[in-house]
Amino acid sequence: VHKNAPTVVASFVLILNIFGLLFATAFFNNAALRDHSHGFHEILFSTPISKSGYFFGRFFGAFLLSTLVSLGIYLGFVLGPPVGVALNWIGPDRFGPTPWMAFLKCHFFFLVPNLLFAGTVIFALASHFKNTIVSFIGTIVIIIAYTASLNLMSDLDSQSIAAMADVFGISAYNLDTQYLTPFERNTIDPSLTGYVLKNRILW
């Protein structure tokens, strides 16, 4: 299987998305608490700004910043092959063509929905409790929920339940692709079918 195969890209995006939640938590928490923590909320709320305009503006600003940081994953897949070959770290035969379509599908099938769901929870907790610790506890709870779904994957009888319970969609994608051949892993992009489709609709 190529080092930049669509399935490899999807796996990296899904796994690194979990670690990216820590960065995202900082962005969403800061967006929700900045005015309150700096004592500027009393001045800001005296202006003719709507509640929805304020909260949605803050939320989508943090959401956009979080997704931009995550683009570094794709940059690594673009720069990795030529740098690795040039420095003689790996042979050119280990890479296939740059999977641009896989980048696009991974971004909109996995990364964006995951950040939207997690960001909503984090932003809501920060806005309600006005506490940074509570925001990070919310992130930890989300990660623990994913870990719990992994335990279900070890049981063949409950793999379908695990695929649906996985917040990030990792178990669903692994279940859909577990029997792909190396040729299929190198050529088939992620798709909204099977367990992935059901998982994405749910979360």
Side-chain angles (χ1 to χ4, degrees):
V1 177
H2 293 148
K3 294 295 186 181
N4 61 344
T7 50
V8 176
V9 172
S11 297
F12 267 88
V13 169
L14 287 164
I15 296 298
L16 292 178
N17 189 208
I18 299 175
F19 295 101
L21 276 188
L22 299 176
F23 294 99
T25 302
F27 295 142
F28 284 107
N29 180 76
N30 187 49
L33 298 184
R34 176 184 290 273
D35 295 322
H36 186 271
S37 60
H38 288 79
F40 189 69
H41 60 290
E42 295 179 359
I43 299 173
L44 183 67
F45 294 156
S46 67
T47 61
I49 184 174
S50 67
K51 178 186 285 189
S52 60
Y54 172 77
F55 283 109
F56 281 114
R58 286 288 190 181
F59 174 81
F60 282 110
F63 176 71
L64 178 62
L65 191 58
S66 299
T67 55
L68 288 177
V69 170
S70 302
L71 293 178
I73 301 171
Y74 311 120
L75 184 62
F77 275 103
V78 172
L79 297 180
V83 171
V85 172
L87 297 177
N88 203 28
W89 290 342
I90 190 169
D93 57 312
R94 296 307 312 275
F95 298 106
T98 303
W100 299 106
M101 189 56 66
F103 293 166
L104 191 66
K105 290 182 176 181
C106 286
H107 192 74
F108 289 104
F109 293 171
F110 300 118
L111 199 145
V112 168
N114 289 347
L115 284 177
L116 188 62
F117 171 78
T120 301
V121 173
I122 296 164
F123 190 84
L125 289 173
S127 297
H128 183 75
F129 292 102
K130 302 291 189 291
N131 191 311
T132 300
I133 295 176
V134 173
S135 299
F136 278 94
I137 289 176
T139 302
I140 292 171
V141 169
I142 293 172
I143 295 174
I144 289 174
Y146 160 69
T147 306
S149 73
L150 284 183
N151 293 330
L152 292 174
M153 279 297 287
S154 61
D155 185 0
L156 292 176
D157 295 329
S158 59
Q159 284 187 332
S160 59
I161 298 174
M164 297 304 294
D166 183 355
V167 176
F168 300 104
I170 300 174
S171 299
Y173 182 73
N174 288 339
L175 195 57
D176 279 346
T177 59
Q178 63 180 336
Y179 297 120
L180 293 183
T181 65
F183 175 78
E184 291 172 327
R185 291 180 180 277
N186 286 333
T187 55
I188 297 178
D189 296 322
S191 61
L192 284 178
T193 56
Y195 286 108
V196 170
L197 176 61
K198 297 174 185 177
N199 178 279
R200 297 295 81 188
I201 291 174
L202 176 63
W203 292 106

